[in-house]
Amino acid sequence: MVDEERWKARFRAARVSLPGWALDAPHRSTYRSNVTGTWEIYAWDRTTGTRRQVTDRPNGTWMGGVDPTGVWIWWFADTDGDEFGIWRRTPFDGPTTQDAGSQDAGTGAEAAGTDGGEPAVPGLEPSYPSGLALGSSGLALVGRTTEDGNSVHLCRPGAEPEVLYHHAEDAHVAALSRDETLVAIGHSEHGDSRHMALRVLRPDGTAVADLWDGPGKGVYGAGFAPVPGDSRLLVNHERRGREELLIWDPVAGTEQEIVLDLPGEIGADWYPDGSALLVSHSHEARDELYRYDLGSGDLTRIETPRGVIGGATARPDGTVEFSWSSAAEPPVVRSTSGAVVLTPPGPPAPPSVPVEDVWVDGPGGRVHALISKPAEGTGPFPAVFDIHGGPTAQDEDSFVPSAAAWIDHGFAVVRVNYRGSTGYGSQWRDAIEGRVGLTELEDIKAVRDWAVESGLADPARLVLTGGSWGGFLTLLGLGTQPDDWTVGVAAVPVADYFAAYEDEMEGLQAFDRSLFGGSPEEVPDRYRESSPLTYVERVKAPVLILAGENDPRCPIRQIDNYLARLTELGKPHEVYRYDAGHGSLVVEERITQMEAEMTFARKHLGLC
């Protein structure tokens, strides 16, 4: 008998993100939490221990943070999850109706008292967000994406916004120097938004320097040194086929590559005094943290449990705070001091089972998969192949309530880091270009066949599921591999690639052009070969599609096209629509969707 409340409790358990903090006022932090049942932005004064809810919107708020002075909290206001809107701001010292508990214990309930704030930059029309950087003087750099292209606006207090940069190709705000004299912009003027370049400008628009490593090798700004007058910019590059680090001084014209003897991929952030880097090391679906001293070159490991680091930040006192979880253990925000930084109210999420690592030989090389088995019973199990989105993402040894729910219901869960995933080098990530979707499915099928041959999975009870890019691969897999799957569950998928391109947000159109090698008008055969609609006649498995009415990434019209064709062909299918965007920030809505997915799958597998 499945404990229905146990799997739902993993969704309902209050969670908090890693707090971000104000550079000039480190005691002032903001974080996200779902404590009310909807993900919203919260303020936390570490001196008094007071916490309060800042935003309160029906479909939640995901993007927000505190400015360097600690005076203002900025947050992005879209409409019902459509990701199109404006930045608003509210004072950090906003309305509070109760004391939220002490800083040390971190156990107080979040205070009520929210407001809608004010437009942060009057005069800027709604857009898709494309980066934000805030200065201590009140200067703001706002990146925007519209049908007219991509722009970066220089916004000074009391003055009209100025266009600092504009281009038809994808671009974003990368960084603002601490003294506000340098602006870094990531751009794809060369036409490839998957491998971007960097340009540094003065606030008057004068170009300082450019950095680009050529076709197929991106560079990404990770922040200027947090010291006034310091022009060093931390950069992620892939000159040797994986993510690594360099420090670029665009004013002095110097580069310092940081070569670390670590497998996998490397990222970093600055320590507050600019003397060291907080290095994040990702290898085979797990993370580690290190301190790299820029003076001595010493690399020191920071002790963290085995699992995944959801985010990390170095504090002025030298401690490091990090968000951590594993497949078996729910998320927690810890400090290297040994303390739990921030504890949400209420009971923690029930634990789940650990994952096992499997490597399977695929047509493009060894494929890494994460396997989770029910705590009781032996195989072959009914199995869920839960395909991650992105595609520039990866499945990790982290806590995933949806995977745990399937496991509770007696399913083995298989997650595949197919070609296209991050974490395994540039060549693996870029292997899907020009043959989109079909390449990933070759790797998924290799793992599927292994799972059946090894006795893990019952070949008559195989569920292919995923969200976003995973939803796209689900529909494409049901059409191109119809004999391999028993049931399909696709959330917010690309279903008709031609219509999806026409309707999707502009940044994703640029991404698709880079991925396919052109637009649908330029390379129609590639889009046709990769469109699930092309293969809908071959679909045998019953399919459930979940779709957001306001989704700008996988728009509703192209899903309706696919559903209409399923209806014409008499294919068994169901659809679940909800009034939000590319997913939901409302906990009960996520539970409803999860219940719909499992009910559909179990019904068609004869498990109900």
Side-chain angles (χ1 to χ4, degrees), residues 145-199:
T145 298
T146 67
E147 293 181 354
D148 295 327
N150 297 269
S151 57
V152 174
H153 296 256
L154 192 75
C155 309
R156 302 180 189 277
E160 290 294 317
E162 306 170 29
V163 178
L164 181 65
Y165 175 90
H166 181 271
H167 199 276
E169 293 291 344
D170 197 26
H172 63 268
V173 176
L176 173 65
S177 67
R178 191 73 168 93
D179 60 10
E180 305 176 18
T181 63
L182 299 171
V183 177
I185 294 171
H187 70 85
S188 55
E189 294 175 7
H190 51 288
D192 182 1
S193 68
R194 282 171 56 85
H195 306 91
M196 302 193 84
L198 280 168
R199 177 168 301 149

Side-chain angles (χ1 to χ4, degrees), residues 285-353:
R286 294 168 183 88
D287 300 328
E288 296 177 326
L289 294 177
Y290 292 84
R291 185 184 191 277
Y292 179 79
D293 189 282
L294 291 168
S296 66
D298 291 338
L299 183 69
T300 306
R301 190 177 187 279
I302 298 170
E303 291 301 320
T304 58
R306 178 175 168 83
V308 170
I309 307 298
T313 182
R315 294 280 295 166
D317 63 2
T319 60
V320 173
E321 296 177 352
F322 59 95
S323 175
W324 173 90
S325 76
S326 71
E329 297 297 328
V332 62
V333 180
R334 297 183 178 274
S335 168
T336 52
S337 69
V340 173
V341 175
L342 197 60
T343 302
S352 186
V353 300

Side-chain angles (χ1 to χ4, degrees), residues 16-47:
V16 292
S17 68
L18 178 73
W21 50 277
L23 288 173
D24 300 331
H27 62 289
R28 292 192 162 190
S29 296
T30 55
Y31 61 93
R32 293 188 302 271
S33 178
N34 66 341
V35 66
T36 65
T38 302
W39 284 94
E40 297 288 1
I41 307 298
Y42 290 77
W44 175 30
D45 189 313
R46 297 178 185 230
T47 301

Side-chain angles (χ1 to χ4, degrees), residues 420-444:
S421 303
T422 56
Y424 303 87
S426 303
Q427 184 176 358
W428 188 263
R429 182 200 63 206
D430 293 344
I432 66 174
E433 292 179 1
R435 193 170 177 269
V436 178
L438 304 173
T439 301
E440 299 96 297
L441 285 166
E442 290 178 346
D443 294 342
I444 294 167

